[in-house]
Amino acid sequence: MTQFFNDVIQIVAKHYPFLLRGIGYTMLIALAGTLIGLLIGLATGVLRTCPLSKNGFVRMLQKLLNGIIAVYVEVFRGTPMMVQAMVIYWGYAYATGGSTLPLIPSGIIIVSINTGAYMAEIVRGGIISIDKGQFEGAAAVGMTHWQTMRHIILPQVLRNILPSVANEFVINIKDTSVLNVIGVTELYYFAGIIKRESFQTFQTYLVVCVIYFVLTFTVTRILRLIEKKLQGSDSYVICGSQSDPNAEIRVPKKQEVPND
Amino acid sequence: MTDHSPVIEIKGLCKSFGSVDVLKGIDMQVNAGEVVAIIGSSGSGKSTMLRCVNLLETPTGGQILWHGKNVQTEIESIYKYRASVGMVFQQFNLYNNLTVLQNCTLPQIKVLGRSKAEAEKTAKDYLERVGMLPYQNARPSQISGGQKQRVAIARALAMNPEVLLFDEPTSALDPEMVGEVLSVMQQLANEGMTMLVVTHEMAFARDVSSRVVYMNQGVICEEGTPEQIFGNPQKQETKEFLARFRNN
């Protein structure tokens, strides 16, 4: 047993620069991929909910765009990211006659496109769950579709889909590991190197396993805190006179909710 | 208005949802300064008619004229048109992500292009008038239904509209909150605001409106002054409708 702990300590002590670099790249790719994927999702969400134009040409263009988005979502949701990585990376090499994209940007592009397909559906669900009255309240004062989305709908959508976005982020932290098939130097890739040097397969992957868990657990906790912060207070208390507009106004802190 | 052309003129308005004909040819006009109350039983097409006026619903037939111009074909921008026709909804439809004050300033800034300072000044004036200024930093989820509706009225007024449309503004309120909203509306009517009000509040229609329109099954059954409609209705349907209300 002490041998086992010695091995683990040895691996961490000897290879921590590899592990740290791996963590850095994993988190970079997962974070960038999630954020860019979210932007893709928001953009497709705005496009797909835009009312069809009266102008025939614009209407055709809208329908074409909606079709492209639908195909994009189906294809990238329906194929494994590991295969997508190979197809995109080597597809680029094939098309350009042998030149390849740098690895880290490749990884970010692949994760972004893949996440974007899921985010498109998450955002669409978020938008259709917003009460119709919110759209009508904005339309009735003369706001355009874009103004309505930008100022009224998307802020509410973002708050509502935060748990799903956090979920995607956690999935991405884990799934960047498949990028080792094209040689992206994320955490799992370094695990392979450490294993080949130390010949201690179990110990190495156990260490990496714990690291992945610490990463995902920390991220979910942080996002949960942000979510709570965004929820705000349930009540609004006016301290002082209601008839005096200058009376001091304070918003009480949200009460701690038990069982949460 | 020096010329007495109507502000809004509705000509042969029809609206169908699939095979259901909700509006079967409505003719009506609203002049500046008038308060027109639209009454009728549920399903008679009152709300649909109102929603057609600012094009929240697209009419399937007929015309809506705004100062003589067809709003579907002849006006320069549907957004500008909607900005000059305020609407107050049954379900308030305050923007849930914004504070009371922001609800009143955002449309002014984005649609009318007012500066933030100007928008806030206007918004605070109207919030004060509806008695909601102390709640300017509250969120819609933190205030009561009656308060929400008063904010919604302030939001509509802050756009300085020519006409205000009310779609059953008190129907979603608890009975004890109806009064505060009606008194704000009464005050507006006294100041000469042009209003088109779909309502189930017969007392309001009788006391505040200058004209009452009774709708039944997608057509205007009878219209006249409150005295005529409530005191001496001519049509059998109107009599029966009003009798049902009195019995309640």
Side-chain angles (χ1 to χ4, degrees):
Chain A
M1 203 61 198
T2 47
Q3 180 59 42
F4 169 78
F5 284 114
N6 275 337
D7 290 345
V8 168
I9 290 164
Q10 276 298 311
I11 286 169
V12 175
K14 199 170 159 203
H15 297 289
Y16 73 89
F18 276 169
L19 293 172
L20 284 179
R21 264 179 70 192
I23 291 171
Y25 283 131
T26 287
M27 291 306 283
L28 172 71
I29 295 170
L31 185 64
T34 308
L35 289 178
I36 298 171
L38 179 59
L39 289 179
I40 295 174
L42 291 173
T44 58
V46 173
L47 281 173
R48 283 203 282 186
T49 51
C50 191
L52 286 175
S53 167
K54 283 202 182 90
N55 180 320
F57 178 71
V58 178
R59 197 219 281 285
M60 220 180 63
L61 216 70
Q62 280 178 306
K63 284 189 172 165
L64 183 72
L65 254 174
N66 286 346
I68 293 172
I69 293 170
V71 170
Y72 160 67
V73 169
E74 292 307 327
V75 167
F76 280 87
R77 259 191 341 177
T79 52
M81 189 160 80
M82 196 189 267
V83 180
Q84 289 164 15
M86 294 298 268
V87 169
I88 291 174
Y89 186 74
W90 293 110
Y92 180 84
Y94 181 79
T96 56
S99 66
T100 52
L101 288 166
L103 283 166
I104 301 298
S106 297
I108 292 175
I109 290 170
I110 290 157
V111 175
S112 301
I113 295 177
N114 183 276
T115 310
Y118 288 93
M119 289 290 190
E121 288 299 278
I122 293 172
V123 171
R124 192 172 67 92
I127 291 174
I128 51 184
S129 73
I130 299 286
D131 176 31
K132 223 174 125 234
Q134 297 288 306
F135 293 88
E136 290 185 349
V141 294
M143 283 198 222
T144 62
H145 179 69
W146 168 243
Q147 286 172 334
T148 307
M149 281 291 163
R150 160 78 182 76
H151 299 286
I152 314 289
I153 307 299
L154 292 185
Q156 297 183 48
V157 167
L158 274 180
R159 213 187 82 171
N160 291 350
I161 66 172
L162 196 62
S164 305
V165 173
N167 203 23
E168 282 299 312
F169 188 22
V170 166
I171 289 172
N172 280 341
I173 292 173
K174 297 181 295 174
D175 282 4
T176 48
S177 59
V178 306
L179 294 173
N180 82 88
V181 291
I182 56 168
V184 175
T185 53
E186 39 68 50
L187 186 55
Y188 188 82
Y189 180 87
F190 282 116
I193 294 178
I194 297 168
K195 174 197 75 178
R196 281 192 290 278
E197 274 189 22
S198 65
F199 299 107
Q200 291 170 335
T201 309
F202 167 61
Q203 291 90 327
T204 304
Y205 284 104
L206 189 70
V207 168
V208 170
C209 185
V210 170
I211 293 176
Y212 272 118
F213 179 75
V214 170
L215 292 180
T216 56
F217 188 75
T218 314
V219 164
T220 47
R221 289 299 99 185
I222 291 172
L223 286 167
R224 188 79 190 88
L225 275 179
I226 295 175
E227 222 178 287
K228 271 195 170 169
K229 194 133 203 158
L230 285 178
Q231 261 167 9
S233 168
D234 292 335
S235 56
Y236 187 78
V237 176
I238 294 183
C239 303
S241 160
Q242 287 210 20
S243 54
D244 176 10
N246 296 320
E248 186 194 2
I249 291 168
R250 278 186 293 153
V251 179
K253 283 224 171 87
K254 187 180 170 69
Q255 292 201 328
E256 287 302 316
V257 183
N259 308 324
D260 191 66
Chain B
M1 305 282 313
T2 44
D3 59 348
H4 287 281
S5 69
V7 181
I8 295 174
E9 212 174 339
I10 300 171
K11 284 185 176 172
L13 177 67
C14 295
K15 174 69 184 174
S16 315
F17 293 99
S19 59
V20 185
D21 298 328
V22 180
L23 299 179
K24 304 165 192 164
I26 302 276
D27 292 289
M28 189 171 131
Q29 60 181 52
V30 183
N31 299 315
E34 264 193 315
V35 177
V36 181
I38 301 162
I39 59 172
S41 40
S42 300
S44 59
K46 313 180 294 290
S47 290
T48 307
M49 199 267 278
L50 201 69
R51 291 163 57 85
C52 280
V53 169
N54 69 353
L55 298 178
L56 281 184
E57 303 287 355
T58 312
T60 43
Q63 299 180 335
I64 290 156
L65 305 182
W66 172 250
H67 293 295
K69 285 186 177 171
N70 187 326
V71 296
Q72 285 179 283
T73 53
E74 291 173 344
I75 55 167
E76 64 181 290
S77 149
I78 181 181
Y79 304 112
K80 272 191 187 164
Y81 166 61
R82 280 175 171 164
S84 44
V85 181
M87 182 151 186
V88 175
F89 296 87
Q90 183 177 0
Q91 298 295 340
F92 330 121
N93 295 352
L94 293 182
Y95 312 133
N96 290 331
N97 57 319
L98 302 178
T99 64
V100 163
L101 183 64
Q102 288 166 336
N103 261 277
C104 300
T105 56
L106 180 78
Q108 297 183 63
I109 295 169
K110 296 300 164 191
V111 181
L112 302 181
R114 289 182 183 159
S115 70
K116 190 167 181 249
E118 192 189 353
E120 283 193 353
K121 190 181 169 297
T122 315
K124 284 180 181 174
D125 280 351
Y126 285 109
L127 283 173
E128 167 117 68
R129 281 187 46 186
V130 299
M132 286 303 291
L133 191 56
Y135 294 85
Q136 55 173 301
N137 294 318
R139 302 245 160 208
S141 61
Q142 297 167 329
I143 57 179
S144 75
Q147 292 174 328
K148 282 183 201 172
Q149 197 60 297
R150 285 188 279 151
V151 173
I153 293 173
R155 178 176 74 183
L157 288 172
M159 299 291 283
N160 300 116
E162 272 185 65
V163 178
L164 267 186
L165 311 176
F166 289 85
D167 186 8
E168 303 193 25
T170 56
S171 299
L173 297 178
D174 290 338
E176 70 261 36
M177 291 174 182
V178 170
E180 60 187 84
V181 172
L182 289 182
S183 74
V184 169
M185 289 170 63
Q186 171 137 31
Q187 201 187 325
L188 286 174
N190 293 344
E191 289 165 14
M193 182 55 134
T194 312
M195 291 158 64
L196 198 51
V197 186
V198 168
T199 186
H200 287 296
E201 293 292 328
M202 291 305 143
F204 178 83
R206 190 185 59 220
D207 301 337
V208 180
S209 68
S210 44
R211 193 146 52 90
V212 178
V213 172
Y214 169 64
M215 279 181 69
N216 190 27
Q217 299 187 341
V219 292
I220 291 178
C221 184
E222 188 169 353
E223 73 174 291
T225 63
E227 292 75 26
Q228 285 167 346
I229 297 291
F230 290 101
N232 185 19
Q234 299 300 310
K235 295 268 180 72
Q236 191 57 32
E237 292 93 336
T238 318
K239 286 178 191 163
E240 281 170 12
F241 172 75
L242 291 172
R244 275 206 302 280
F245 255 92
R246 294 212 178 89
N247 293 342
N248 285 343

